[in-house]
Amino acid sequence: MSVIAEFTIPTEQFALSDAFDAIPNMAVEIERMVAHPANRILPYIWVCGGTATAVEEELRADPTTVAVTKLTEIPYGSLYRVEWSNETKATVEDVLESDPVILTGTAAKEGWDFQMRFEHRDHISKLQADLTHHDVTVELKRLHTPETPTVDGQFLLTAKQRVALNAALDAGYFEVPRKTNLSELAEQLDISQQALSKRLRRAHRTVSRHILTTGPDEILDDRQD
């Protein structure tokens, strides 16, 4: 039976760390492909945050890229074709060696988050061992077996929703009492309060639907409410 693994790799050990340092509110989402030819490893990424000019300049300047070509620009971001450096390619090859299905691949300044389906649990152990051998840290966040059929990516947070949710968590927006308010958070992200409120509501709905559909891995003590 297949198993889904959710894990994080630090940006400085994978890709685009310098670009994220230059544009802290940048968010990246991998454009999924059915196949991963050896000479075209995760070549397409959607990027939002920062100005289009600044993003393109920083992507090109980042040492983990060799070539960057903008393919499409739309109001909320741009699609780029990227040729990665040999070091980054080697890391991606380790990730893809067990032939996983990449359900999601997103990145923010804190790290690259992946959700992948593997045919066997042994493949996940091998992935961790291979990456550790190359001094790449893998933080396994969740491991579960789908109890019901799901559509790949139906529980995805968009890159913008992920950035908004992470920013809200980091700033203490969900603390009791709150350490910041919607206005301050929106100003920090350089978006309107209405746009931020909408992103947070949609992110909550997506995360809640994911948890209630797949079921929790463990029951938490009610006192943690």
Side-chain angles (χ1 to χ4, degrees), residues 205-222:
R205 181 180 60 193
T206 298
V207 171
S208 298
R209 188 174 292 163
H210 183 132
I211 293 172
L212 293 173
T213 301
T214 60
D217 290 327
E218 57 183 14
I219 303 299
L220 299 179
D221 192 318
D222 287 340

Side-chain angles (χ1 to χ4, degrees), residues 83-184:
E83 181 182 346
W84 301 104
S85 67
N86 288 335
E87 185 176 355
T88 300
K89 282 181 180 178
T91 302
V92 177
E93 285 171 354
D94 282 341
V95 172
L96 299 179
E97 188 174 353
S98 298
D99 197 27
V101 176
I102 299 178
L103 303 180
T104 72
T106 59
K109 183 175 171 57
E110 296 75 18
W112 285 79
D113 295 324
F114 291 97
Q115 183 186 67
M116 297 185 181
R117 177 181 286 120
F118 295 82
E119 287 189 9
H120 305 287
R121 286 177 179 259
D122 290 348
H123 291 170
I124 301 171
S125 299
K126 184 178 186 307
L127 166 65
Q128 291 177 294
D130 289 344
L131 290 177
T132 300
H133 180 71
H134 288 96
D135 296 322
V136 176
T137 304
V138 183
E139 181 186 355
L140 185 60
K141 292 188 169 180
R142 190 163 186 256
L143 195 63
H144 65 98
T145 301
E147 297 177 359
T148 58
T150 61
V151 178
D152 287 354
Q154 80 178 70
F155 304 122
L156 269 177
L157 290 178
T158 68
K160 286 186 176 182
Q161 290 169 6
R162 184 178 295 272
V163 168
L165 195 55
N166 280 331
L169 286 167
D170 290 343
Y173 180 75
F174 299 112
E175 299 291 333
V176 181
R178 284 180 173 168
K179 296 180 180 179
T180 188
N181 57 43
L182 198 65
S183 175
E184 293 171 341

Side-chain angles (χ1 to χ4, degrees), residues 51-87:
T51 66
T53 300
V55 166
E56 191 163 348
E57 287 178 354
E58 295 302 331
L59 289 179
R60 293 179 187 278
D62 193 280
T64 60
T65 68
V66 174
V68 176
T69 304
K70 181 188 288 186
L71 302 179
T72 304
E73 184 174 349
I74 52 182
Y76 61 82
S78 299
L79 176 66
Y80 295 90
R81 183 174 65 240
V82 178
E83 181 182 346
W84 301 104
S85 67
N86 288 335
E87 185 176 355

Side-chain angles (χ1 to χ4, degrees), residues 3-66:
V3 61
I4 293 177
E6 300 174 13
F7 58 91
T8 298
I9 299 175
T11 54
E12 62 271 17
Q13 296 179 13
F14 186 42
L16 302 183
S17 178
D18 286 4
F20 280 114
D21 285 342
I23 310 176
N25 68 329
M26 186 174 76
V28 174
E29 182 169 352
I30 292 171
E31 178 81 352
R32 291 180 298 149
M33 297 179 65
V34 175
H36 307 284
N39 62 337
R40 300 179 67 198
I41 296 176
L42 305 183
Y44 302 112
I45 58 173
W46 284 97
V47 183
C48 67
T51 66
T53 300
V55 166
E56 191 163 348
E57 287 178 354
E58 295 302 331
L59 289 179
R60 293 179 187 278
D62 193 280
T64 60
T65 68
V66 174

